[in-house]
Amino acid sequence: MRRTTVRPRRGRLNVAPYLFLAPAVAFVVLTVVYPLIYNILQSFFDVGLREVVRGGAAWVGLDNYRDQLGRSEFWHAVVVSLVYSVGTVAIAFAVGLGLALLFHREFRGRNVLRALLLLAWILPTVVSANVWRWLLDGSYGLLNAALSGLGLLDRDLFWLGEPNPALLAVTVATAWSFAPFAMILLAAGLQGISPTYYEAARIDGASAWQQFRSLTFPLLRPVSLTVTLLIFIFTFKTFDTIFLMTGGGPGNATETLPVYAYNEAFEFSRFDTAAVATTVLMVISIALALVYFRALRNEEGA
């Protein structure tokens, strides 16, 4: 009996896959690609409120970039963004690692407690930011009441009304929301470490600290790199937490680059310089993402 084979017809393009992809591609183009290109182009024009309403913005080339790079307010926003992001990463990573190590042990109620801690990550930012505003309120905040009750505070401290405490407050609030994210990834990394390593270390007489320093932390390096870089990228472009808690104040003490861009656009109607700030923010975020992917590839190849 002769076998018959069905050969695909040549010359006919199967458009069905492209039709299925078209809505997703159109959505990405309209909501991501077009605004991105429009924002970059706007940074090369003189765009104020009048130009937004009437049109006819004049081409200024790199003048907007020269103006921004020469302004101390812009560099202040960059420095605040870096301090805020590094502080958030340090606190979130330390807390997340501690929680991951805690939940790596077996104890009663572990799953329930872990689920409760995830609320900090699941809660909408508007809810968590307002909770922190209430906790840190200088007149009736819970933190001032607790510190006064312990005798550690003899006056009302307005955490969100003074420069250094305000920056610390928004950093802690953001780290609190990212700590469960760090905990999940680090806990997954801990589960990937073979128990035989710890058994051999205990046989050799290694203490708990020596096991952590020589085994746990080095073996968690790939996951730790992922956690720190992702949280840094997310934090560097965070707007909502700071805007809801301090609005960038007092003064400009907590004015990060996203808040600075918002104020330039909607407080002073300088849409061109706001576009410059967001373009710089985008470039920094892309650079950090490239560093992340390169480091991830190096870890996989090691």
Side-chain angles (χ1 to χ4, degrees):
M1 185 176 179
R2 297 179 60 185
R3 253 183 218 179
T4 58
T5 58
V6 179
R7 296 180 180 180
R9 295 182 180 178
R10 295 181 180 180
R12 295 187 62 182
L13 178 65
N14 186 9
V15 297
Y18 300 99
L19 292 177
F20 285 120
L21 287 174
V25 172
F27 179 80
V28 171
V29 169
L30 291 175
T31 61
V32 178
V33 178
Y34 172 73
L36 190 63
I37 296 175
Y38 180 82
N39 180 78
I40 295 173
L41 291 176
Q42 189 170 247
S43 66
F44 296 102
F45 288 86
D46 182 12
V47 185
L49 184 59
R50 183 179 61 181
E51 286 75 19
V52 171
V53 176
R54 298 181 180 179
W59 172 269
V60 294
L62 296 175
D63 288 351
N64 288 329
Y65 288 89
R66 296 189 189 98
D67 174 67
Q68 287 300 294
L69 295 177
R71 292 176 62 179
S72 60
E73 295 86 354
F74 174 81
W75 289 110
H76 174 80
V78 173
V79 171
V80 171
S81 296
L82 291 173
V83 173
Y84 167 67
S85 300
V86 171
T88 299
V89 168
I91 298 173
F93 181 83
V95 175
L97 180 58
L99 292 173
L101 292 171
L102 173 65
F103 290 117
H104 195 57
R105 301 174 179 270
E106 294 285 345
F107 59 89
R108 182 176 297 179
R110 182 183 67 165
N111 293 332
V112 176
L113 186 58
R114 183 164 50 189
L116 290 175
L117 287 172
L118 289 177
L119 288 175
W121 188 32
I122 297 172
L123 279 177
T125 305
V126 65
V127 176
S128 59
N130 280 291
V131 168
W132 278 100
R133 285 184 62 187
W134 170 71
L135 290 173
L136 300 171
D137 188 270
S139 301
Y140 52 85
L142 184 61
L143 182 59
N144 275 359
L147 294 176
S148 298
L150 295 172
L152 301 176
L153 195 65
D154 57 358
R155 64 179 182 89
D156 288 339
L157 180 59
F158 291 86
W159 296 90
L160 302 179
E162 299 181 18
N164 291 332
L167 184 57
L168 176 63
V170 295
T171 301
V172 171
T174 309
W176 174 78
S177 63
F178 278 116
F181 172 75
M183 177 192 71
I184 293 173
L185 294 184
L186 292 170
L190 286 173
Q191 291 177 357
I193 301 176
S194 175
T196 56
Y197 295 145
Y198 296 102
E199 294 174 3
R202 283 192 292 268
I203 293 173
D204 292 337
S207 63
W209 168 248
Q210 289 173 331
Q211 292 178 39
F212 173 79
R213 185 184 62 185
S214 302
L215 286 176
T216 305
F217 199 71
L219 292 174
L220 280 178
R221 182 183 171 186
V223 181
S224 300
L225 181 64
T226 299
V227 170
T228 53
L229 284 175
L230 286 179
I231 294 179
F232 190 93
I233 293 171
F234 294 153
T235 305
F236 196 79
K237 60 187 182 64
T238 295
F239 168 79
D240 44 8
T241 300
I242 295 178
F243 185 77
L244 291 169
M245 290 183 66
T246 64
N252 60 352
T254 60
E255 189 180 58
T256 57
L257 206 52
V259 178
Y260 173 82
Y262 173 87
N263 289 334
E264 285 289 297
F266 300 107
E267 293 291 331
F268 307 114
S269 298
R270 294 194 287 254
F271 298 98
D272 46 5
T273 55
V276 171
T278 52
T279 301
V280 171
L281 180 65
M282 178 194 67
V283 171
I284 295 174
S285 299
I286 291 175
L288 291 172
L290 292 176
V291 170
Y292 165 68
F293 286 120
R294 183 172 181 178
L296 193 62
R297 185 174 58 185
N298 291 339
E299 288 294 338
E300 290 176 351

